[in-house]
Each structure stands twice: as C-alpha cells, then as structure tokens.
Amino acid sequence: MAYSMVPVGYVRSCFKEKFAIPRQPALASAARGCLELIAPYDRPEAVQGLEAVSHVWLLFVFHQALEAQPRLKVRPPRLGGNRSIGVFASRATHRPNGMGQSVVRLDRVEPGKLWLSGIDLLDGTPVLDIKPYVPYADQVPGAFNGLADTAPPLIQVQWTETALQKAQQHAGRLGEPLVALIEQCLAQDPRPAYQAPPPERQYGVKLWDVEVRWHYPDAHGIRVLEVVPQA
C-alpha cells in the first residue's frame, strides 16, 4: 500500500548547502533556524502546550538526497567513508523513503513558528511531523552503539585576523552567533575523511548570507581565511 505525506512546515536554516552541516543534531548549539508551519498547522491551537517543552523531535525529508533506486549498503563518514554497512545500521542521508529525524532545542514558540537551535537541517527542509521529547522515555539507560559510541573528535580552528573581524561584524548585523557557528561546524572537520588536502586547497560553505572559506595549513587543524557576503 502506498502512502502520501504532506509537510506541516519548512525549516529556514543557517545552513544553505549540505556541506559542513553537522552529521548529528546538537553538535553545533549555535546552529539556529525557524520551522515555519503551513496551514492548517500555523494556527495557535496546533502548538498549544509546546511552551512546556525544551526539545522536540522533527521527522523530515532529505529533500536534496532523494534517490530513485534504494541502497542496501552505505558508507558512513563516521567510518572513514570507505567502509560499507547496511543502510539500517547507519543514519546516512540515503534512506529508503528519504526520511530523517532529529531532536533539537525548542527556543521559542509562536503561532505558526518554532524557533530552534542545535539543528542539523538544510534550509528548505520539509518537516512531516513534530513530537515532544520525553526524557523518561527517550533516554534509554544502558543503550549503546558500537559503531558510534562517542561524539567525533574535534580539530582546532584558527582564524586570520581579518576573517575574525569580518565574522564578528556579520554576527552583529545578523544578530546570530556566527563566530561560534563557524567554529562548531568546522571543528568537526567537514571534509571527506579520505581527503588529505594540500595547504593551498581552499574549502567553502554558505552560512546564513555569508560564505566562509578555509584551508588546512597542516595536519592538525583549520584556518578560516575569509568571511564574505554571498555572491
């Protein structure tokens, strides 16, 4: 039997492209956005009671990773990008029905809008459902995952003086913790695990309405080179 689903809203996110999005929610607390609900869920009664909740589960669609052919095995970045495991043993974006789930912090509730942080969702992500996080049920004592038992290690993030000044200026203009967002995302090393780029190679990502560019001056960390308005 086939089922059709209609989004309840769409996420307006600091992440404008897939590259450098944290691979799990809550790894970048400065990552913020807003879930804009659509009719009929934009009415006040749909969110009544959520003001008593600190976190919510979002069920959403990986709308830029949908595939016509199902994958039975994937290569998670956490395992270096070269080791294959079954799709159901991973949280890879390549899902049988393109569905994802994230638990995120609920910062503020307004009719038709939920203000969120600690997100890992791309701008424009369709959200299918919202469920309150229930600590006594959602925290499982003794739970384990032998493939990903701890958060990924962080690498050092350094700045050029000009890049830091520009990031601080844009942060003030946006009213967003842009410096922290850049550091939290880059410290997780967004490059593919199998790449060892030379120092002259530059990477870039779009966050809010700016573009951040960096390189790897050595094997130990990242240096942010510039933060400029998006072209």
Side-chain angles (χ1 to χ4, degrees):
M1 180 181 296
Y3 296 90
S4 62
M5 297 186 182
V6 177
V8 302
Y10 295 86
V11 172
R12 303 304 168 202
S13 168
C14 58
F15 298 116
K16 305 304 179 181
E17 56 189 10
K18 292 181 288 185
F19 185 52
I21 293 180
R23 296 183 177 117
Q24 300 292 343
L27 293 181
S29 60
R32 305 203 296 198
C34 177
L35 171 53
E36 297 181 347
L37 301 171
I38 61 176
Y41 306 104
D42 57 349
R43 297 171 58 178
E45 53 263 46
V47 295
Q48 184 179 357
L50 268 184
E51 66 277 358
V53 175
S54 69
H55 293 73
V56 292
W57 288 101
L58 301 182
L59 305 181
F60 60 90
V61 178
F62 288 111
H63 63 299
Q64 289 194 10
L66 298 176
E67 299 176 332
Q69 296 296 324
R71 297 193 188 193
L72 301 185
K73 301 193 76 174
V74 294
R75 297 182 177 184
R78 182 63 185 272
L79 300 181
N82 293 314
R83 176 183 170 189
S84 295
I85 60 174
V87 64
F88 297 127
S90 81
R91 292 196 183 187
T93 58
H94 307 287
R95 312 307 307 172
N97 289 294
M99 292 182 62
Q101 64 176 16
S102 290
V103 61
V104 301
R105 183 170 183 82
L106 180 58
D107 294 319
R108 191 166 81 252
V109 180
E110 297 178 5
K113 291 184 178 181
L114 302 182
W115 298 89
L116 311 168
S117 60
I119 63 174
D120 61 342
L121 292 94
L122 182 66
D123 189 60
T125 293
V127 173
L128 302 176
D129 202 356
I130 306 159
K131 296 178 182 290
Y133 182 84
V134 182
Y136 78 84
D138 294 343
Q139 293 180 359
V140 182
F144 67 91
N145 184 326
L147 297 174
D149 57 346
T150 59
L154 302 179
I155 64 173
Q156 185 178 17
V157 178
Q158 300 177 336
W159 297 76
T160 64
E161 183 177 352
T162 300
L164 181 56
Q165 290 175 349
K166 291 295 184 181
Q168 292 168 338
Q169 292 172 7
H170 287 297
R173 175 181 58 83
L174 292 165
E176 294 289 342
L178 182 61
V179 174
L181 175 64
I182 293 170
E183 291 182 345
Q184 290 170 6
C185 291
L186 297 191
Q188 297 171 55
D189 197 358
R191 65 180 168 170
Y194 51 81
Q195 287 189 4
E200 62 270 16
R201 177 170 180 177
Q202 294 187 15
Y203 291 78
V205 66
K206 295 176 180 178
L207 300 172
W208 293 117
D209 62 357
V210 301
E211 183 169 0
V212 182
R213 302 199 64 82
W214 71 91
H215 75 146
Y216 293 81
D218 52 46
H220 304 293
I222 281 173
R223 179 184 291 124
V224 182
L225 298 172
E226 59 180 2
V227 179
V228 297
Q230 292 179 25

